[in-house]
């Protein structure tokens, strides 16, 4: 009983005191926003055919379907060409900024708006990869995914350094961004378009916006530190909940894919893998497909291996070592699918989802390599600034921190930068 | 994930971001630089931080938040599970509640190539009746639009959704919303017809099917389904005769393709 109580209290401490998996959430942030960014750039020449008002799935058709299913899409707020181009451009822009981790929370919301707007506008254009992004972009909003590998983390560090020197660095961009977005939100709400369909996404938009205001107010005005701690704890709890959902979602994807396969006669007789390789829509390299399918034994091994790996994956999470081996297998298989079945963006999205299970030590090493490669690249170009791990030094704008709030900052890196992209992303990191 | 709290039993593990702002003075060197991560175990601080530092009122607020988020997470995962699971006792009883939770934004389908992979190539083909410039009427041959897609995908590292999904999924949509006599079922049935019309029209225009001065008057769509040949090493035999599903001729009027309907 006592041990149980201790376990519970340790568990509560863990999920309230920190936003777990700072590297894992950062890597999926980069993975999903990068996938969507590459997809948008790839489809740029086809954007009108896919999502434009005069594409085959015309604005009018989408309107009829969406008024039936209530999905969220900003593209139906107007049927103008300019609006369409603006939304597409914003989707590209917010992907870049989320990837870089600039004002992470705000960008994660705008990223979600971009993904949902385009995908819900033309639902018959997507495949499994779009489906993964659709779900994950919503879950990402609830995470503090800018704790590391982000401009926010860098800004927080510079802010701390400045405060340590006794400087006062006001944040002007945050409140401005918040104000502009608030006006936009109010305008769309008043026009009656925002709450046309299901309330979930519109309510989420307003909630995040209000939470940021709250974070700012508390950071500024609160007399005691308790409200600040409370907000931080709430953000941590929400983050950890969302992280769990993301992991569960990845497991459900594999479990569903695996368990349904077990029931299929082709997966049972060991020939299943042969067939997708010979579908015209999934065989960009017919000669390669023929070569791969030449041996019946090989096809059977891959077929059984795929099912075994997919069914087993969720259970391997209980054993770190087995999990890591299987993770490597999955990532390799998706990389192969990208080329062999011609599904690069589906595969990228799945690899990004897999990455949430990567071990921290590996991710740190990866981060180290990336930083060194970048350093060498910049040095090669003669613009290297040895001290900055992240691109383009921006003017530090870390908030209305008072100099007196000496920064006891992260006893761990994650913690130190934690609030930067967060509740505070907000106008002023409420750590002030 | 690495454990940062070192398994400390009390709710005052080191280094929680929550306590950082007002934490005690012992300030370790700034470790925020990801290239140079600090050791995992940070020096523990003495003062009570985190939720233990909060007064009862705030602790209650934390507890409520924790409970709400825990319930929401469990319910959501449960709902998604039931949504992707096969039809079962629970989904038969509570299907409505599950759908209300899932749709529209959390809809998902992970039966990837399952239970069986598709074993047929389904090609969508179209031909048109053209009003020619000299006042005559001409019927074109069949354009194999799926073969055009296939050629665009061949050797392509980055196939576009317009090549891989557009026509393929539009035809799936049509089949799913029409009965065997090609009669539309519900709103989606008629939407899928308009969608298909607009796709084939776009493709015919690209292929310049109408020719100079001509105008497309009618289109006819059919699907051609061929079995994938069984592997060489298998003794299976399947028919290699294609099966056609032929739709009636459709007129191309502004209304039927929704040109100016906004």
């Amino acid at each position: 009983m006592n041990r149980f109580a201790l376990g519970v209290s340790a568990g509560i401490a863990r999920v309230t005191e920190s936003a777990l998996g700072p590297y894992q959430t950062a890597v999926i942030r980069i993975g999903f926003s990068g996938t969507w960014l590459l997809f948008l750039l790839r489809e740029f020449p086809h954007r009108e055919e896919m999502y434009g008002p005069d594409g085959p799935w015309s604005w009018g058709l989408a309107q009829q379907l969406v008024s039936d299913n209530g999905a969220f899409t900003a593209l139906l707020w107007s049927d103008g060409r300019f609006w369409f181009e603006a939304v597409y451009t914003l989707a590209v822009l917010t992907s870049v900024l989320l990837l870089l981790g600039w004002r992470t929370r705000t960008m994660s919301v705008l990223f979600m708006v971009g993904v949902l707007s385009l995908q819900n506008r033309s639902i018959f254009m997507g495949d499994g990869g779009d489906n993964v992004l659709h779900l994950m972009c919503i879950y990402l909003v609830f995470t503090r995914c800018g704790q590391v590998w982000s401009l926010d983390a860098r800004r927080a560090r510079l802010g701390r350094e400045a405060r340590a020197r006794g400087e006062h660095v006001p944040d002007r961009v945050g409140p401005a961004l918040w104000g502009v977005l608030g006006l936009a939100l109010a305008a769309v709400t008043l026009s009656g378009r925002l709450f046309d369909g299901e309330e979930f996404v519109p309510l989420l938009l307003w909630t995040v916006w209000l939470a940021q205001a709250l974070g700012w107010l508390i950071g500024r005005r609160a007399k005691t530190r308790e409200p600040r701690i409370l907000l931080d704890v709430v953000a941590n709890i929400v983050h950890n909940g969302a992280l769990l959902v993301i992991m569960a979602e990845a497991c459900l994807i594999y479990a569903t894919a695996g368990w349904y396969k077990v029931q299929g006669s082709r997966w049972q007789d060991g020939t299943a893998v042969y067939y997708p390789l010979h579908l015209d829509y999934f065989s960009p390299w017919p000669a390669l497909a023929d070569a791969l399918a030449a041996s019946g034994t090989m096809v059977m091994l891959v077929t059984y291996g795929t099912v075994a790996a997919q069914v087993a994956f969720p259970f391997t999470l209980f054993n770190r070592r087995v999990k890591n081996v299987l993770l490597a297998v999955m990532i390799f298989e998706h990389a192969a699918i990208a080329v062999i079945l011609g599904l690069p963006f589906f595969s990228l999205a799945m690899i990004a989802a897999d990455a949430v299970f990567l071990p921290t030590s590996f991710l740190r090493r990866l981060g180290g390599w990336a930083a060194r490669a970048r350093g060498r690249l910049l040095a090669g170009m003669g613009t290297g600034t040895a001290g900055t791990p992240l691109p383009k030094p921006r003017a530090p704008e870390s908030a209305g921190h008072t100099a007196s709030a000496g920064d006891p900052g992260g006893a761990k890196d994650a913690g130190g930068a934690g609030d930067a992209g967060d509740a505070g992303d907000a106008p002023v990191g409420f750590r002030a | 994930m690495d454990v940062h709290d070192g398994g400390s039993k009390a709710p005052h593990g080191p280094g929680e971001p929550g306590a950082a702002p007002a934490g005690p003075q012992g300030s370790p060197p700034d470790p925020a630089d990801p290239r140079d991560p600090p050791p995992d175990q940070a020096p523990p601080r003495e003062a009570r931080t985190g939720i233990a530092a909060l007064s009862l009122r705030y602790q209650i607020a934390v507890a409520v938040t924790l409970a709400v988020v825990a319930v929401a997470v469990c319910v959501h995962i449960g709902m998604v599970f039931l949504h992707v699971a096969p039809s079962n006792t629970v989904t038969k009883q509570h299907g409505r509640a599950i759908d209300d939770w899932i749709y529209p934004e959390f809809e998902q389908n992970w039966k990837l190539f399952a239970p069986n992979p598709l074993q047929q190539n389904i090609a969508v083909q179209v031909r048109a009746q053209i009003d020619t410039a000299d006042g005559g009427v001409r019927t074109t041959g069949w354009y194999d639009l799926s073969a055009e897609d296939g050629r665009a995908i061949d050797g392509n590292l980055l196939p576009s959704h317009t090549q891989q999904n557009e026509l393929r999924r539009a035809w799936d949509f049509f089949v799913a919303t029409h009965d065997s006599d090609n009669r539309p079922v519900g709103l989606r049935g008629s939407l899928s017809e308009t969608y298909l019309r607009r796709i084939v029209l776009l493709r015919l225009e690209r292929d310049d099917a109408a020719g100079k001065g001509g105008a497309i008057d009618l289109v006819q769509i059919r699907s051609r389904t061929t079995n994938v040949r069984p592997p060489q090493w298998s003794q299976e035999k399947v028919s290699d005769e294609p099966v056609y599903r032929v739709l009636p001729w459709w007129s191309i009027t502004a209304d039927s393709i929704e040109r100016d309907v906004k």
Side-chain angles (χ1 to χ4, degrees):
Chain A
M1 178 58 210
N2 197 20
R3 184 178 296 178
F4 176 75
L6 286 181
V8 170
S9 110
I12 291 177
R14 267 194 88 181
V15 298
T16 54
E17 288 175 353
S18 60
L20 299 167
Y23 291 94
Q24 286 79 4
T25 40
V27 80
I28 60 173
R29 178 197 89 222
I30 292 167
F32 292 129
S33 57
T35 304
W36 183 242
L37 174 64
L38 291 176
F39 172 76
L40 291 179
L41 295 178
R42 175 8 178 160
E43 300 293 8
F44 190 77
H46 304 127
R47 65 190 186 286
E48 285 171 46
E49 184 176 339
M50 294 170 68
Y51 307 114
D54 298 317
W57 185 249
S58 67
W59 193 88
L61 290 173
Q63 178 81 307
Q64 292 180 57
L65 189 72
V66 166
S67 65
D68 185 46
N69 70 13
F72 174 88
T73 167
L75 277 178
L76 290 181
W77 295 347
S78 157
D79 63 357
R81 280 290 306 266
F82 176 79
W83 177 242
F84 162 68
E85 297 288 355
V87 171
Y88 199 93
T89 309
L90 271 176
V92 172
L93 208 65
T94 53
S95 307
V96 175
L97 292 175
L98 180 64
L99 192 148
L100 295 176
W102 184 77
R103 308 282 162 177
T104 313
R105 182 79 77 178
T106 306
M107 287 311 137
S108 71
V109 173
L110 294 178
F111 177 71
M112 175 190 75
V113 168
V115 172
L116 298 187
S117 292
L118 290 168
Q119 291 192 358
N120 288 340
R121 163 70 179 75
S122 303
I123 55 168
F124 299 109
M125 201 51 85
D127 53 32
D130 297 81
N131 205 338
V132 173
L133 286 175
H134 190 112
L135 299 167
M136 293 300 182
C137 77
I138 301 175
Y139 299 150
L140 266 187
V141 170
F142 295 92
T143 64
R144 306 183 116 173
C145 53
Q147 297 180 92
V148 294
W149 296 342
S150 68
L151 290 177
D152 280 343
R154 181 172 173 278
R155 182 162 49 91
R157 178 170 53 82
L158 294 177
R160 276 196 303 279
E161 287 166 8
R163 265 171 290 134
R165 291 192 301 271
E167 290 166 20
H168 173 75
V169 212
D171 177 22
R172 298 209 176 77
V173 177
L177 193 60
W178 179 81
V180 169
L181 292 173
L183 278 178
L185 212 46
V188 184
T189 306
L190 289 176
S191 76
R193 292 188 173 94
L194 189 63
F195 284 89
D196 245 3
E198 275 264 322
E199 306 87 12
F200 171 71
V201 175
L203 285 179
L204 182 58
L205 298 180
W206 274 114
T207 307
V208 176
W209 187 79
L210 288 173
Q212 293 193 325
L214 194 67
W216 183 79
L217 272 179
I218 287 179
R220 274 263 154 124
R221 299 282 151 85
K223 295 200 173 55
T224 66
R225 63 197 183 91
E226 284 188 318
R228 249 179 283 157
I229 296 179
L230 175 65
L231 257 193
D232 196 52
V233 167
V234 169
N236 287 338
I237 294 173
V238 170
H239 165 100
N240 292 327
L243 182 56
L244 181 63
V245 169
I246 290 172
M247 292 172 150
E249 182 69 63
C251 288
L252 281 173
I253 293 175
Y254 283 125
T256 315
W259 286 106
Y260 278 103
K261 284 189 178 79
V262 172
Q263 306 165 32
S265 56
R266 288 301 180 192
W267 293 96
Q268 290 170 3
D269 72 14
T271 59
V273 166
Y274 169 86
Y275 290 95
L277 292 174
H278 290 81
L279 293 178
D280 295 339
Y281 273 103
F282 299 100
S283 55
W285 319 95
L288 179 65
D290 280 337
L292 287 172
S295 155
T297 313
M298 278 307 296
V299 169
M300 192 201 119
L301 287 177
V302 175
T303 301
Y304 272 36
T306 301
V307 177
Q310 290 187 338
V311 170
F313 184 76
F315 302 101
T316 65
L317 297 182
F318 295 105
N319 182 303
R320 205 181 152 82
R321 201 172 296 170
V322 182
K323 180 257 301 179
N324 287 339
V325 171
L326 215 59
L327 206 51
V329 171
M330 293 307 217
I331 290 177
F332 174 79
E333 179 155 14
H334 281 128
I337 285 174
V339 179
I340 298 170
L341 295 184
L343 292 166
F345 299 108
F346 164 76
S347 300
L348 260 180
M350 284 309 299
I351 289 172
D354 291 336
V356 79
F357 297 108
L358 286 173
T360 301
S361 53
F362 173 77
L363 287 171
R364 280 183 166 164
R365 224 175 309 147
L366 201 68
W369 291 333
R372 270 196 297 280
R374 183 181 157 279
R376 234 171 291 147
L377 201 71
L378 286 184
M381 297 183 338
T383 57
T385 42
T388 49
L390 287 161
K392 192 168 176 263
R394 301 178 65 258
E397 45 189 41
S398 209
H401 298 283
T402 52
S404 64
D407 178 39
K412 68 173 201 249
D413 42 356
D419 59 342
D422 256 301
D425 163 6
V428 176
F430 55 58
R431 170 155 310 194
Chain B
M1 260 137 287
D2 274 15
V3 180
H4 291 281
D5 61 7
S8 125
K9 65 184 168 67
H12 47 83
E16 64 287 355
Q25 300 321 309
S27 113
D30 171 19
D33 183 343
R35 293 175 315 163
D36 182 21
D40 264 2
Q41 270 71 37
R45 304 199 208 128
E46 282 104 56
R48 285 157 64 81
T49 56
I51 52 175
L54 295 172
S55 62
L56 185 63
R57 270 196 317 160
Y58 284 96
Q59 285 189 344
I60 291 174
V62 170
V64 171
T65 309
L66 198 57
V68 169
V69 171
V71 169
V73 165
C74 290
V75 171
H76 183 72
I77 293 175
M79 289 292 188
V80 174
F81 173 82
L82 291 171
H83 172 62
V84 298
S87 170
N88 58 56
T89 314
V90 177
T91 53
K92 277 175 199 150
Q93 276 167 10
H94 304 286
R96 192 60 207 279
I98 297 166
D99 286 352
D100 281 349
W101 185 281
I102 294 295
Y103 291 96
E105 305 298 354
F106 296 106
E107 183 184 2
Q108 49 200 291
N109 173 12
W110 309 115
K111 296 178 196 169
L112 309 168
F113 299 117
N116 272 324
L118 188 63
Q119 294 152 57
Q120 295 161 331
N121 276 306
I122 302 169
V124 179
Q125 305 176 334
V126 64
R127 62 177 176 174
Q129 188 173 302
I130 312 283
D131 293 336
T132 55
D134 54 14
V137 172
R138 171 172 71 88
T139 303
T140 68
W142 288 98
Y143 287 83
D144 191 334
L145 304 183
S146 298
E148 292 175 7
D149 284 341
R151 280 195 293 277
I153 291 169
D154 272 349
N156 194 340
L157 275 175
L158 298 171
S160 164
H161 277 18
T162 54
Q163 297 151 357
Q164 204 167 33
N165 294 349
E166 185 178 285
L167 182 65
R168 181 175 66 86
R169 290 209 56 202
W171 180 253
D172 286 347
F173 181 35
F174 177 89
V175 171
T177 55
H178 283 73
D179 63 17
S180 51
D181 295 326
N182 300 322
R183 277 186 305 245
V185 179
L187 166 72
R188 288 172 171 238
S190 59
L191 291 181
S192 79
E193 283 187 13
T194 310
Y195 185 33
L196 206 52
R197 264 195 185 88
R198 292 177 60 96
I199 292 177
V200 299
L201 203 63
L202 182 73
R203 298 293 184 88
L204 287 172
E205 278 168 10
R206 275 186 200 158
D207 289 335
D208 197 21
K212 208 168 178 194
I216 297 173
D217 185 30
L218 302 169
V219 292
Q220 187 177 34
I221 298 171
R222 70 175 183 187
S223 72
R224 176 183 189 274
T225 304
T226 353
N227 289 316
V228 171
R229 267 186 305 121
Q232 286 163 353
W233 30 266
S234 133
Q235 275 88 55
E236 268 181 73
K237 297 257 184 309
V238 296
S239 156
D240 51 6
E241 276 297 297
V243 175
Y244 290 95
R245 174 169 178 172
V246 185
L247 307 189
W249 283 95
W250 285 346
S251 70
I252 298 295
T253 59
D255 201 36
S256 71
I257 56 165
E258 244 211 351
R259 261 283 149 83
D260 303 306
V261 185
K262 285 277 161 73

